[in-house]
Amino acid sequence: MIVCKFGGTSVASAEQIKKVASIVKSNPERKIVAVSAPGKRSSDDIKVTDLLIDLANTVINKGDVEAKIKAVVNRYRNIAEDLGLDNTISDIIEQDIRGRVTENWSDKDLFLDNMKASGEDNNAKLIACYFNAIGMPAKYISPKDKLILNDFPERTYALPEAYENLSVLKNTEEIIIFPGFFGYTKSGVLRTFDRGGSDITGSILASAVGAELYENFTDVDCVFAANPKVVNDPVDIKEITYREMRELSYAGFSVFHDEALMPVYKQGIPVNIKNTNNPSASGTLILPTRPATNRPVTGISADSGFSILYVSKYLMNREVGFGRKLLQIIEEENISYEHTPSGLDDISVIMRSSQLSPEIEARIVKRVKEELCADDVQFSHNFSMIVIVGEGMRHNTGLAARAATAISATGANIEMINQGSSEVSLVFGVRSEYEDQILKGLYEEFFATITSF
Amino acid sequence: MIVCKFGGTSVASAEQIKKVASIVKSNPERKIVAVSAPGKRSSDDIKVTDLLIDLANTVINKGDVEAKIKAVVNRYRNIAEDLGLDNTISDIIEQDIRGRVTENWSDKDLFLDNMKASGEDNNAKLIACYFNAIGMPAKYISPKDKLILNDFPERTYALPEAYENLSVLKNTEEIIIFPGFFGYTKSGVLRTFDRGGSDITGSILASAVGAELYENFTDVDCVFAANPKVVNDPVDIKEITYREMRELSYAGFSVFHDEALMPVYKQGIPVNIKNTNNPSASGTLILPTRPATNRPVTGISADSGFSILYVSKYLMNREVGFGRKLLQIIEEENISYEHTPSGLDDISVIMRSSQLSPEIEARIVKRVKEELCADDVQFSHNFSMIVIVGEGMRHNTGLAARAATAISATGANIEMINQGSSEVSLVFGVRSEYEDQILKGLYEEFFATITSF
């Protein structure tokens, strides 16, 4: 059995949904389909999810709700008409939306979640309706009472019972159309996934039914070895391990959110990232392990927005517990950190700048100076992390040298190097202004001559 | 005022003590002299300190004490005779030793400390006696009631009152001969310094009297840029900062123990490492800051005996506090660590192997697996740390690349790189079997063409 997930652009229009139908039809193993809300039909288009957020805010601010409702409903009506469906499904969708609008919005977050989720929910109903209309027996399944989530305030995730409940779907006769992006708490409250959205729903479904493959359909042929916006025509990645994918998506690889890998990772289910607009392309396969290639590096990613906290104290390394106490202070500010390179008398803590503010920084500096009696404590900003990823590259003699040399060739100074733990990645910290140059330079060094692998 | 310290080989024989006298005489600023116990006169000789340890153990094990006492006393008698002194001082020393032997040894550590310390104490008396005999007014000063130490069990260090008590010595008329290596607690218990020995005593004296210079006389002309036992004829270091010296002594540079730098560091007193056997050589100056040279690297050191604890857990970086909890477990085993390179889902903790045992390792692995639910936890051993040191080298573009390339050229794999905190050092972790080759390779890369600086 194969679980497929189709992203926003894959279900943005009748034309796209027809592609989805033919893809699902072409392989009888494709029995479970997770869908997103209709996305952009063109670059200047507005996603239904954004129309819904606009609608929700209009309700809260008591604006012209009617016009906003129409904007949303008409998107579905257009799709339904273009698919040759009668008004039945569109009327159902309109009722559903009008119903949600009238719901209590004392808790704005819950109200917003409920409105947003309607995008996937109604699209799933519409697609199920279309499949049946063209003779593909299909059935819309609501996450209600099935995809059970933890209670907030923590980040939303599926509880073990969700997997039990959903496992029955493996015996389905019809093709199941399941809305992505949301679930319900035990008490029946609708919650959306903070990150990874519909990808997570598909991953949970694949894991619950023990699928042999999870196909993630998007609008790119594959994952590239480097950001195509920076590197000119980068090679595509045919096979990549979970670990490699994790490390890459950490620093800017947005193709597939790493959190969505968790459910399938646990069961070792392969993930195939494919293109709805070019289904014959083999795409990128994410696997527990992969055959070694002759190239040590699988991909290079870069991400900006990092800050460094530098702390120095003479004879620091004689103080058992100094590092631990420092991390405790940072933890008490609810800040998660990325790396902690350390010298003999100094340690740096590298974290995402988005978690900081002048007040938080001042508090941390004050505490570290007072509680740890540090000599020098300071924050510096505008750093980027460049991550070079490849299974087993740690055992590739000279790789760090090649990378460092390529970076130096750009004239950039290496502010931080972190190697020694992960066997699949090597991280360089640099000033953000050099990020693109360095990504180009490293790509040249490790991929230049090869076209594909 | 200059405070001098003379090491074991500088005061091992009459001939050496005569050199000390002429050195002190040659500059009237040299008013305070800290001395060690008589060291080896030749490579196959036995240090008085070792004779004393042997004596102490013989007492405890009720062996032939008389022979051991004679062995110690005769060393002093020979020196005294060769210096042309009568028996008075030798008899005093013999009485002192016979007195210590009869003291209560219920606490073996204290007994051993007391016996060992007699080596410096009696040598100071003898040298003061000789100085006076040759017309250099000198005075032996006991650390008793002056060099006040903290109470164990912690590592011994001088309390603030020690500096107050000793500050009066700056008004001395005579040359003060002060025994190194030990002091007394407030309750009058004799304790020796765990590390750095007489170097610390000299440093404390220099700090207490606010000396303009602390001269540390040993048996080498200077500190070398790399270990002469490994690198053929390394260049000498004329000037080095405290920070650089610290980083170098951390990994195997045994010339001057870094802990001995602390007292002078606080006051910014320069330290001059000189050779008793070649006092005209300018030696190595340790300074708070030094003029920039055209070379980014000041020295390279290497030390073996490191172990790495590797811990991996999927989505580790989403767990606020994981690293801190890990360090807590290690701290609870009273283990201090050196570096913690981290990947996205894994972290390594690098520590000195001497702190570990199969039992400790098993305990740590068990706790990390159970308490942190880690996927993979393992220790690996036989690593060396190679430390490249130089003020401001961090801002020397390409240095890391040059170093990594030189290491790779030896065929060694770089297991860890730690750069990003210390501005004066860059640390590479490698398998110990490559240590010497790499040290040679790095020396070639950074010093080859230059002869001295």
Side-chain angles (χ1 to χ4, degrees):
Chain A
M1 176 180 262
I2 297 171
V3 171
C4 319
K5 176 260 175 178
F6 291 90
T9 59
S10 304
V11 289
S13 66
E15 183 197 357
Q16 289 299 86
I17 291 171
K18 285 174 183 170
K19 291 180 188 170
V20 170
S22 68
I23 287 168
V24 172
K25 193 170 191 174
S26 68
N27 185 342
E29 286 299 307
R30 295 180 174 131
K31 297 290 278 184
I32 299 179
V33 179
V35 298
S36 297
K40 293 184 174 190
R41 291 159 295 189
S42 62
S43 57
D44 56 358
D45 195 14
I46 303 167
K47 299 159 72 173
V48 164
T49 306
D50 291 337
L51 292 177
L52 289 163
I53 291 167
D54 185 24
L55 168 56
N57 291 326
T58 308
V59 171
I60 291 165
N61 304 320
K62 307 200 167 55
D64 176 1
V65 174
E66 192 51 34
K68 306 290 185 180
I69 291 177
K70 284 224 156 42
V72 175
V73 174
N74 287 341
R75 277 291 288 274
Y76 289 104
R77 285 202 182 278
N78 295 341
I79 295 171
E81 280 162 22
D82 296 349
L83 287 172
L85 302 172
D86 60 36
N87 290 336
T88 326
I89 187 65
S90 306
D91 295 342
I92 291 171
I93 292 171
E94 177 158 6
Q95 274 174 48
D96 172 86
I97 291 164
R98 291 190 180 278
R100 295 185 197 238
V101 167
T102 61
E103 276 174 36
N104 163 322
W105 43 270
S106 55
D107 183 326
K108 292 183 172 49
D109 288 342
L110 290 184
F111 181 71
L112 194 61
D113 268 3
N114 193 28
M115 288 305 299
K116 283 192 294 182
S118 74
E120 280 73 11
D121 201 37
N122 288 320
N123 212 27
K125 295 174 199 160
L126 190 158
I127 291 166
C129 176
Y130 172 66
F131 276 25
N132 283 304
I134 60 171
M136 288 168 66
K139 185 172 163 194
Y140 154 83
I141 299 272
S142 166
K144 195 86 196 273
D145 305 325
K146 291 190 181 56
L147 210 174
I148 309 298
L149 303 174
N150 63 316
D151 267 313
F152 47 146
E154 327 96 277
R155 157 173 300 150
T156 43
Y157 56 87
L159 296 174
E161 43 266 61
Y163 294 89
E164 289 164 39
N165 302 340
L166 295 167
S167 64
V168 300
L169 300 181
K170 70 161 137 341
N171 310 318
T172 182
E173 290 296 314
E174 306 103 323
I175 295 161
I176 287 164
I177 311 295
F178 200 99
F181 187 46
F182 71 100
Y184 292 84
T185 65
K186 280 182 182 148
S187 48
V189 179
L190 183 152
R191 299 291 294 162
T192 61
F193 290 109
D194 326 60
R195 303 193 198 171
S198 301
D199 288 342
I200 294 184
T201 305
S203 187
I204 291 167
L205 287 165
S207 169
V209 302
E212 55 263 25
L213 179 64
Y214 171 34
E215 290 180 323
N216 193 280
F217 283 89
T218 167
D219 52 9
V220 293
D221 274 355
C222 60
V223 178
F224 294 105
N227 184 350
K229 293 194 185 81
V230 178
V231 172
N232 180 23
D233 189 22
V235 302
D236 55 336
I237 298 173
K238 293 250 180 286
E239 290 186 330
I240 186 170
T241 65
Y242 293 125
R243 294 202 302 176
E244 290 173 320
M245 194 68 213
R246 274 270 298 149
E247 302 267 353
L248 285 174
S249 42
Y250 154 71
F253 262 53
S254 51
V255 181
F256 191 73
H257 197 281
D258 59 352
E259 224 155 295
L261 272 174
M262 193 57 175
V264 285
Y265 165 85
K266 286 186 175 158
Q267 299 216 7
I269 298 167
V271 180
N272 195 358
I273 294 175
K274 288 174 72 71
N275 188 351
T276 303
N277 307 315
N278 182 17
S280 59
S282 56
T284 296
L285 208 49
I286 310 174
L287 304 161
T289 60
R290 65 175 174 84
T293 62
N294 59 350
R295 182 192 290 109
V297 177
T298 301
I300 308 166
S301 63
D303 202 6
S304 58
F306 290 89
S307 295
I308 298 179
L309 168 65
Y310 172 82
V311 179
S312 78
K313 179 179 184 180
Y314 195 73
L315 290 181
M316 179 191 289
N317 78 322
R318 291 288 156 73
E319 272 183 60
V320 173
F322 188 97
R324 195 257 313 152
K325 289 178 205 138
L326 175 64
L327 297 182
Q328 180 103 50
I329 289 172
I330 287 160
E331 191 179 331
E332 282 164 16
E333 289 285 347
N334 278 310
I335 289 168
S336 65
Y337 63 90
E338 308 297 328
H339 305 288
T340 57
S342 58
L344 197 56
D345 290 342
D346 33 35
I347 179 168
S348 290
V349 183
I350 295 167
M351 57 201 97
R352 294 202 181 255
S353 312
S354 57
Q355 308 174 95
L356 299 171
S357 72
E359 296 67 34
I360 292 171
E361 290 178 26
R363 265 203 309 274
I364 291 174
V365 169
K366 186 166 181 292
R367 286 192 62 187
V368 174
K369 276 190 174 155
E370 288 173 1
E371 298 170 30
L372 303 183
C373 309
D375 302 331
D376 185 13
V377 186
Q378 60 195 44
F379 275 92
S380 44
H381 306 288
N382 301 319
F383 294 97
S384 289
M385 294 296 137
I386 311 279
V387 186
I388 302 176
V389 175
E391 286 284 344
M393 61 180 256
R394 181 179 182 180
H395 303 297
N396 186 283
T397 304
L399 193 131
R402 284 174 66 191
T405 305
I407 291 173
S408 302
T410 67
N413 185 37
I414 297 170
E415 306 288 335
M416 181 212 78
I417 303 176
N418 198 297
Q419 176 189 348
S421 187
S422 171
E423 294 179 341
V424 298
S425 78
L426 173 58
V427 183
F428 291 92
V430 297
R431 294 224 140 266
S432 291
E433 60 260 38
Y434 292 102
E435 183 183 314
D436 288 359
Q437 269 171 277
I438 290 169
L439 190 56
K440 288 193 188 94
L442 288 171
Y443 183 84
E444 272 304 306
E445 173 63 28
F446 293 109
F447 293 94
T449 59
I450 307 101
T451 54
S452 172
F453 66 105
Chain B
M1 177 180 260
I2 297 171
V3 172
C4 318
K5 176 262 175 178
F6 291 89
T9 59
S10 303
V11 291
S13 66
E15 184 197 355
Q16 290 299 87
I17 290 171
K18 285 174 181 170
K19 291 178 187 170
V20 170
S22 67
I23 288 169
V24 172
K25 194 171 191 174
S26 67
N27 185 343
E29 286 299 308
R30 295 180 174 131
K31 297 292 277 182
I32 301 179
V33 179
V35 298
S36 298
K40 294 183 175 189
R41 291 157 297 188
S42 61
S43 56
D44 56 357
D45 195 14
I46 303 167
K47 297 158 72 174
V48 164
T49 306
D50 291 338
L51 293 176
L52 289 163
I53 291 166
D54 185 24
L55 169 56
N57 291 326
T58 310
V59 171
I60 291 163
N61 305 321
K62 307 201 170 55
D64 177 0
V65 173
E66 191 53 31
K68 307 290 186 180
I69 291 176
K70 284 227 156 41
V72 175
V73 174
N74 287 341
R75 278 292 287 276
Y76 290 103
R77 285 201 183 279
N78 295 340
I79 295 171
E81 281 162 20
D82 296 349
L83 288 172
L85 302 173
D86 60 34
N87 288 338
T88 327
I89 185 66
S90 307
D91 295 343
I92 291 171
I93 291 172
E94 178 158 6
Q95 276 173 45
D96 172 86
I97 291 164
R98 291 191 181 277
R100 295 184 196 240
V101 167
T102 59
E103 277 174 35
N104 161 323
W105 43 270
S106 54
D107 182 326
K108 291 183 174 50
D109 287 343
L110 291 183
F111 181 71
L112 194 61
D113 267 4
N114 194 29
M115 288 305 300
K116 283 192 294 183
S118 76
E120 280 74 12
D121 201 37
N122 287 319
N123 212 27
K125 295 173 197 159
L126 191 158
I127 291 165
C129 176
Y130 172 66
F131 276 26
N132 283 305
I134 60 170
M136 289 168 65
K139 186 172 162 195
Y140 154 82
I141 298 273
S142 165
K144 193 84 196 270
D145 305 326
K146 292 190 181 58
L147 210 174
I148 309 299
L149 304 174
N150 62 316
D151 270 314
F152 46 145
E154 328 95 276
R155 158 173 302 150
T156 44
Y157 56 87
L159 296 173
E161 42 267 61
Y163 294 89
E164 289 164 37
N165 302 340
L166 295 166
S167 65
V168 301
L169 300 180
K170 70 161 132 348
N171 310 316
T172 181
E173 291 297 315
E174 306 104 321
I175 295 161
I176 288 164
I177 312 296
F178 199 99
F181 187 46
F182 70 99
Y184 292 84
T185 65
K186 280 183 180 144
S187 49
V189 178
L190 184 152
R191 298 292 294 163
T192 61
F193 291 110
D194 325 60
R195 305 193 197 169
S198 300
D199 287 342
I200 293 184
T201 305
S203 186
I204 291 167
L205 288 164
S207 170
V209 303
E212 55 263 25
L213 180 64
Y214 171 34
E215 291 180 325
N216 193 279
F217 283 90
T218 166
D219 52 9
V220 294
D221 273 355
C222 60
V223 177
F224 293 105
N227 184 352
K229 295 195 185 81
V230 179
V231 173
N232 180 25
D233 188 25
V235 302
D236 56 336
I237 298 173
K238 294 250 179 284
E239 291 185 330
I240 185 170
T241 65
Y242 292 126
R243 293 202 303 176
E244 290 173 321
M245 194 67 214
R246 274 268 298 148
E247 301 266 353
L248 285 174
S249 41
Y250 154 72
F253 261 53
S254 52
V255 182
F256 190 74
H257 197 282
D258 60 352
E259 223 155 297
L261 273 173
M262 194 57 176
V264 285
Y265 165 84
K266 285 183 174 161
Q267 298 218 5
I269 297 167
V271 180
N272 195 357
I273 294 175
K274 288 175 71 73
N275 188 351
T276 303
N277 306 314
N278 182 18
S280 60
S282 56
T284 297
L285 256 185
I286 309 175
L287 305 160
T289 60
R290 64 175 175 82
T293 62
N294 58 352
R295 181 192 292 111
V297 177
T298 300
I300 307 167
S301 63
D303 202 5
S304 58
F306 290 89
S307 295
I308 298 179
L309 168 64
Y310 173 81
V311 178
S312 78
K313 180 178 183 179
Y314 195 73
L315 290 181
M316 180 191 288
N317 78 322
R318 291 287 157 74
E319 272 182 62
V320 173
F322 188 97
R324 195 257 313 152
K325 289 178 206 139
L326 175 64
L327 296 182
Q328 180 103 50
I329 289 172
I330 288 160
E331 191 179 331
E332 282 164 16
E333 289 285 347
N334 280 307
I335 288 169
S336 65
Y337 64 91
E338 308 297 327
H339 304 287
T340 57
S342 57
L344 196 57
D345 290 341
D346 33 36
I347 179 167
S348 291
V349 183
I350 295 167
M351 57 202 95
R352 295 203 181 256
S353 312
S354 56
Q355 309 174 96
L356 298 170
S357 73
E359 297 65 36
I360 293 171
E361 290 178 26
R363 267 204 306 276
I364 291 174
V365 169
K366 187 166 181 293
R367 285 192 62 187
V368 174
K369 277 190 173 157
E370 288 173 2
E371 297 170 29
L372 302 185
C373 308
D375 301 332
D376 185 11
V377 186
Q378 59 197 40
F379 275 92
S380 45
H381 307 287
N382 301 319
F383 294 96
S384 289
M385 294 295 135
I386 312 279
V387 185
I388 302 175
V389 175
E391 286 284 345
M393 60 180 256
R394 181 180 182 181
H395 302 297
N396 185 284
T397 304
L399 194 131
R402 284 174 65 192
T405 305
I407 292 173
S408 304
T410 68
N413 185 37
I414 297 171
E415 306 288 335
M416 181 210 80
I417 302 176
N418 198 296
Q419 177 190 346
S421 187
S422 171
E423 293 178 341
V424 297
S425 78
L426 173 57
V427 183
F428 291 92
V430 297
R431 294 225 141 264
S432 291
E433 61 260 37
Y434 292 103
E435 183 183 317
D436 288 359
Q437 270 170 276
I438 290 169
L439 190 56
K440 288 195 188 91
L442 288 171
Y443 184 83
E444 273 303 306
E445 173 65 26
F446 293 108
F447 293 94
T449 60
I450 307 103
T451 55
S452 171
F453 66 104

